[in-house]
Amino acid sequence: MAKFAVILPAAGKSNRFRDKEKKPFANMDGRAVWLRCAELFVTRSDVLQCLIVVAKEDQETFRRRYGANMAFMNIQIADGGAERHDSIANALALVKPEADFVAIHDAVRPCLTEEMINAVFARAEKDGAALLAIPVTDTMKEVDPQHKVKSTPSRQDLWLAQTPQVFRREWIAEAYAKPQQLGKDITDDAQLVEASGHPVHVVEGSTQNIKITTKADLILAEAILKARPKPKPQGPAHPFAEEEMWGGRGIK
């Protein structure tokens, strides 16, 4: 079975979130957003390592607040950098050599599902690199700095990238070893791997796999999770449930 290392970038400035808490650390129905993301990966048998990237200035508070969670979930901290690609490079340096693949998932996409992870992991294992994405359904407009429409590109072949994005470890390491590819115009890791000449495949994700950018997104994500069916309990509902069940059938 292939082994995966997971990187959760959480070192952004959260400028558009407009809250005292940064997006990954905001409370979402009782738990931090980043914790809801991490929980999706740490219990998987094919995940051997999970790293969260945290800005250096936030690490003391992060360790104090989440130290018990990190110990229980066996999560490591990687240093955040000046730009996103610096943060990912720092995390890649800590990836265990036993990892066959590296999955990078936004620490502010808590509505991911196990089914989506299974699908994108399987496609990456088959083809070397894969990401979740959804086809564009709205009409797209290219607009100039004055907000004047320049063109209306065809949406037929356009998809909106999501995460996780999953790559062979050597492919993503190779991409980050080429400094000429790095820059502020790089918006996701698949773009770097594509530029290195490796094919990247798309696995259809879901409109529910939203990225929290604003407070409105947080409210929407909470609503999505609350609307999902709750798993049925495997055992008795309370300590005396079995006695009540048998007693109701007349068994003493």
Side-chain angles (χ1 to χ4, degrees):
M1 179 174 63
K3 293 295 182 182
F4 296 78
V6 177
I7 296 172
L8 301 172
K13 297 187 181 352
S14 298
N15 291 331
R16 286 177 287 176
F17 194 59
R18 300 177 184 275
D19 190 83
K20 63 180 180 179
E21 293 279 14
K22 291 186 176 181
K23 295 177 293 185
F25 317 129
N27 185 296
M28 183 177 175
D29 195 25
R31 293 208 301 286
V33 171
W34 81 268
L35 271 173
R36 290 186 174 275
C37 296
E39 288 165 353
L40 296 164
F41 295 100
V42 295
T43 57
R44 294 180 61 94
S45 60
D46 54 0
V47 171
L48 61 79
Q49 183 182 20
C50 191
L51 299 125
I52 183 164
V53 187
V54 180
K56 291 182 180 179
E57 64 268 22
D58 295 329
Q59 287 185 14
E60 182 180 350
T61 300
F62 185 87
R63 292 179 190 277
R64 185 171 64 250
R65 185 182 296 180
Y66 303 115
N69 301 98
M70 290 171 55
F72 180 74
M73 301 166 80
N74 194 25
I75 294 176
Q76 295 173 253
I77 290 182
D79 290 340
E83 301 292 340
R84 184 184 184 281
H85 57 77
D86 299 314
S87 295
I88 300 300
N90 290 343
L92 285 172
L94 301 177
V95 169
K96 295 179 179 179
E98 310 94 89
D100 303 298
F101 294 86
V102 175
I104 302 170
H105 180 63
D106 298 322
V108 288
R109 286 190 193 267
C111 298
L112 183 68
T113 66
E114 181 182 4
E115 291 74 21
M116 289 183 224
I117 299 173
N118 290 342
V120 74
F121 275 23
R123 188 63 189 263
E125 192 172 352
K126 176 178 179 289
D127 293 315
L131 71 148
L132 290 181
I134 55 174
V136 169
T137 56
D138 294 328
T139 298
M140 305 289 289
K141 298 289 183 182
E142 183 184 5
V143 180
D144 69 14
Q146 287 72 45
H147 292 187
K148 179 183 175 182
V149 174
K150 295 169 61 178
S151 67
T152 304
S154 170
R155 67 189 180 194
Q156 181 177 347
D157 299 320
L158 297 178
W159 290 61
L160 298 174
Q162 298 182 335
T163 65
Q165 299 187 356
V166 191
F167 315 96
R168 289 191 184 279
R169 182 172 56 82
E170 60 269 25
W171 287 11
I172 190 68
E174 172 194 349
Y176 270 90
K178 297 178 178 178
Q180 69 275 15
Q181 290 187 182
L182 303 177
K184 292 185 178 180
D185 58 335
I186 298 295
T187 57
D188 75 352
D189 303 287
Q191 189 176 356
L192 281 174
V193 173
E194 295 158 26
S196 295
H198 297 296
V200 179
H201 291 78
V202 162
V203 173
E204 186 160 355
S206 167
T207 55
Q208 294 187 3
N209 185 25
I210 65 169
K211 181 178 181 179
I212 294 174
T213 302
T214 67
K215 295 292 269 308
D217 297 327
L218 181 66
I219 294 169
L220 178 57
E222 286 184 337
I224 289 170
L225 291 182
K226 287 179 179 178
R228 287 179 176 168
K230 300 293 185 292
K232 293 182 179 179
Q234 298 297 313
H238 57 82
F240 304 106
E242 281 192 8
E243 291 182 23
E244 290 176 1
M245 179 179 68
W246 290 114
R249 294 180 186 176
I251 298 177
K252 304 290 186 181

